Amino acid sequence: MKSNAQYKRILFYKRYIMKLTIIGNEEIASERLNFIISDLKANAQCQIELKVNYSWYMGGMYSSAAYQADERGTVDLSKEIPVKREYEIANSMGLFAILENEKGRFESKRDRDYTKEYILCTLSVRCDDEKVSRTIKRHFSQSDVSCVEPEELTGRYFYHVDKKRRNKILLLGGSEYSMNAISPLAASLTRNGSDVLLLDYSRGKKFVPIPIERVQEAIQWLKKEETDQLCVIGMSKGAELALFSASKFVGIDKVVAISPGEYIYQNPWSLGSSWKYQGRRVPYVHLWVLPILDFYKNLVFSFLGLPTGYLISYQLGTAMELFKRKKRIPVEEIDAEICLIAGGKDTVWQSKKSVMNIAQNRKDKNDKVYLYEKCGHVFDIPFVFGSNDNNGGNILDNMNAGEDVWKKVNDFLQG
């Protein structure tokens, strides 16, 4: 039998065995979590590491920061700022914001089904000689969602297998012209009950004008099945396409334009028009060779760690355009309700000004306008990759805005 002294020693040691508690929906990749480390010594310092591995990558991302426990021996990441100020405001997902690529191979699968893909998040805590780790598996959509690439269109269709009548979303990415870049977002949008078509509207030919009739074809394809409403979501250059298409085609109930422009602009990959309509090139605001100057500026800014973008080109090109009124997107002709979103520190183009002017031109409409003054150009699906400030804003504000934007978009779609 153990003596009283032995029992006391055991209780003393157990008192400081670390516990890691995760609060929130662990299974959904875009859901916020909170991490609490308890049973530490009062004011002890611990090192927390986060490693994220992706089912479609050979490689992953990594972040690390040191935190100090409070007098109760607890570190609550929703209340604590890192000791070395890797980020400046308490945020339970701050380690996700500062994720960076790990050294070594970072190769990816060409074909990916994001209804099946997932991310593995491993949180490891070290304090003195103790270590505790926890790995969670997070998905983008639910088990009742599947994905196909339609024969009639170039894109990916994320749909619920029960075939019930649902809202339909047509998703248009930006000038990256890559389906893989926003497929996680497309899969995630199905969680609130919509079926989503991610349209590859460029079909890999980004140097030539793109017929906007491809959007009309996608609308007609989605409406083959009964739907409560059809919404078009566009981001950046895709927002330009979404607004312009909605001014030409019927059958669209709602439009979400994220970081849009108010004009038809020059193709970012050539000196010509971005779009064709009824076989003719759509008139556009010329940027001429201004983007080349911004390109070299971006090289310098990137080296210095400053935000990059083409804001100067778009501002000067718009100011110098003599007939820009004829090249403005006629948003007042759009019958659909519109949700407009932009960041006040966008360095790609003047999206905040565009949103304000679009709203003014539709002041008698029942639209929604959300401006994030501290944020940049990109409103990514949150908590999957590291946040960035490459196109304006800062990493925490951009990540938080991404979380808030997609909640507001879902509310708009369901309203």
Side-chain angles (χ1 to χ4, degrees), residues 22 26 28-35 49-54 61-64 67 77 87 91-100 119-123 136 138 381-388 395-396 399:
I22 301 177
E26 300 179 10
I28 301 299
S30 58
E31 286 289 315
R32 176 176 286 271
L33 301 171
N34 189 26
F35 305 91
E49 300 175 351
L50 173 66
K51 185 173 182 180
V52 179
N53 291 101
Y54 306 91
M61 303 188 82
Y62 172 86
S63 64
S64 176
Y67 302 81
L77 291 196
Y87 54 88
N91 192 301
S92 67
M93 302 297 279
L95 286 169
F96 285 81
I98 62 174
L99 282 168
E100 295 183 352
I119 62 176
L120 292 176
C121 304
T122 300
L123 200 74
I136 58 176
R138 315 195 83 197
I381 177 176
F383 318 138
V384 176
F385 306 102
S387 184
N388 70 73
I395 56 173
L396 275 184
M399 182 184 72

Side-chain angles (χ1 to χ4, degrees), residues 323-391:
F323 305 103
K324 57 177 172 282
R325 285 188 60 84
K326 295 181 179 179
K327 297 159 186 180
R328 183 179 66 83
I329 300 171
V331 292
E332 61 277 3
E333 297 177 11
I334 299 175
D335 292 330
E337 186 180 353
I338 301 177
C339 177
L340 298 163
I341 296 165
K345 296 188 180 297
D346 187 345
T347 59
V348 172
W349 62 7
Q350 59 277 40
S351 60
K352 176 185 172 181
K353 182 179 179 181
S354 297
V355 161
M356 295 173 67
N357 288 340
I358 292 169
Q360 178 62 29
N361 288 324
R362 288 176 53 87
K363 58 186 176 182
D364 58 337
K365 307 291 186 181
N366 186 31
D367 295 336
K368 304 290 184 184
V369 179
Y370 301 107
L371 296 176
Y372 295 81
E373 294 293 346
K374 296 181 180 180
C375 301
H377 182 75
V378 178
F379 295 87
D380 280 330
I381 177 176
F383 318 138
V384 176
F385 306 102
S387 184
N388 70 73
D389 54 3
N390 295 340
N391 299 133

Side-chain angles (χ1 to χ4, degrees), residues 37-277:
I37 299 92
S38 57
D39 288 356
L40 299 168
K41 294 180 181 179
N43 303 313
Q45 189 172 118
C46 63
Q47 187 76 20
I48 305 180
E49 300 175 351
L50 173 66
K51 185 173 182 180
V52 179
N53 291 101
Y54 306 91
S55 61
W56 62 94
Y57 278 133
M58 180 67 72
M61 303 188 82
Y62 172 86
S63 64
S64 176
Y67 302 81
Q68 185 170 349
D70 60 20
E71 293 180 354
R72 298 175 300 169
T74 300
V75 175
D76 183 337
L77 291 196
S78 69
K79 300 176 181 178
E80 300 295 335
I81 302 172
V83 173
K84 296 183 180 179
R85 294 296 194 271
E86 283 83 356
Y87 54 88
E88 294 293 334
I89 300 173
N91 192 301
S92 67
M93 302 297 279
L95 286 169
F96 285 81
I98 62 174
L99 282 168
E100 295 183 352
N101 290 354
E102 282 193 298
K103 295 180 180 179
R105 292 197 301 166
F106 202 72
E107 300 174 2
S108 62
K109 296 190 300 185
R110 181 173 298 177
D111 298 320
R112 311 171 200 171
D113 179 357
Y114 283 95
T115 65
K116 306 294 190 296
E117 304 291 356
Y118 57 87
I119 62 176
L120 292 176
C121 304
T122 300
L123 200 74
S124 299
V125 185
R126 288 185 176 87
C127 184
D128 295 330
D129 295 329
E130 288 189 85
K131 178 181 176 181
V132 61
S133 296
R134 175 91 176 271
T135 298
I136 58 176
K137 187 175 183 179
R138 315 195 83 197
H139 293 86
F140 300 100
S141 57
Q142 295 164 314
S143 59
D144 64 342
V145 176
S146 189
C147 178
V148 295
E149 296 194 3
E151 294 181 1
E152 306 94 320
L153 302 165
T154 305
R156 289 177 181 156
Y157 184 49
F158 298 81
Y159 66 97
H160 293 76
V161 296
D162 60 17
K163 296 292 185 180
K164 291 181 180 178
R165 176 170 171 156
R166 285 185 158 82
N167 292 343
K168 306 290 184 182
I169 298 174
L170 176 60
L171 182 59
L172 307 172
S175 58
E176 74 281 348
Y177 297 154
S178 167
M179 288 198 297
N180 280 339
I182 56 173
S183 284
L185 171 62
S188 180
L189 286 171
T190 64
R191 285 182 43 234
N192 289 288
S194 298
D195 294 332
V196 182
L197 173 62
L198 170 57
L199 184 65
D200 182 14
Y201 56 85
S202 72
R203 298 180 183 175
K205 297 180 180 179
K206 57 188 179 183
F207 297 99
V208 298
I210 296 164
I212 69 166
E213 284 85 355
R214 291 176 184 172
V215 174
Q216 186 179 34
E217 292 169 2
I219 293 169
Q220 293 170 346
W221 186 85
L222 285 170
K223 290 215 165 186
K224 286 181 180 179
E225 296 180 355
E226 289 190 0
T227 177
D228 292 328
Q229 65 177 9
L230 188 143
C231 175
V232 180
I233 300 177
M235 296 175 286
S236 190
K237 196 67 176 175
E240 178 185 306
L241 176 58
L243 292 169
F244 187 52
S245 299
S247 74
K248 299 298 182 185
F249 307 134
V250 297
I252 300 173
D253 298 297
K254 293 183 177 180
V255 177
V256 177
I258 300 173
S259 301
E262 61 180 302
Y263 297 97
I264 301 296
Y265 281 106
Q266 175 180 311
N267 187 326
W269 300 98
S270 72
L271 296 177
S273 180
S274 296
W275 320 112
K276 285 197 301 185
Y277 178 53

